[in-house]
Amino acid sequence: MNDRVNVIFSGTNKNFLYNCEIPTSVLPRNGDRICLSIPGHSNIRCYVEDMEWQYAELSKKIDTSIVAKVKILQED
């Protein structure tokens, strides 16, 4: 099993989309408050409203990712 997963963070209250790969050991859960440290940008504090697995077949290979819907609380 892969110990990292692709996560797409999507803002529900602001136009925000961020795609990254993170270790499965630190995956957030619904209801968690997290801080996204994005290189070249300010830190973004979020509330995780929903997490959903997505599957797609690309070149005869199954690609998995998670879409995390987050409410932006504050930008530092």
Side-chain angles (χ1 to χ4, degrees), residues 3-73:
D3 62 343
R4 296 179 74 81
V5 66
N6 188 54
V7 180
I8 302 162
F9 292 93
S10 174
T12 59
N13 63 331
K14 288 188 179 181
N15 188 12
F16 175 76
L17 195 63
Y18 180 59
N19 187 355
C20 64
E21 193 173 90
I22 61 174
T24 55
S25 60
V26 296
L27 275 177
R29 297 176 184 236
N30 290 349
D32 282 357
R33 290 179 185 263
I34 60 172
C35 181
L36 298 174
S37 297
I38 302 170
H41 295 279
S42 58
N43 289 336
I44 299 173
R45 299 185 192 284
C46 309
Y47 173 79
V48 180
E49 294 182 334
D50 186 48
M51 304 252 316
E52 183 177 299
W53 283 95
Q54 286 195 338
Y55 303 91
E57 185 176 341
L58 302 171
S59 303
K60 305 213 183 231
K61 179 184 164 218
I62 298 296
D63 181 54
T64 59
S65 62
I66 295 176
V67 174
K69 294 180 182 169
V70 296
K71 182 176 184 178
I72 309 299
L73 302 174

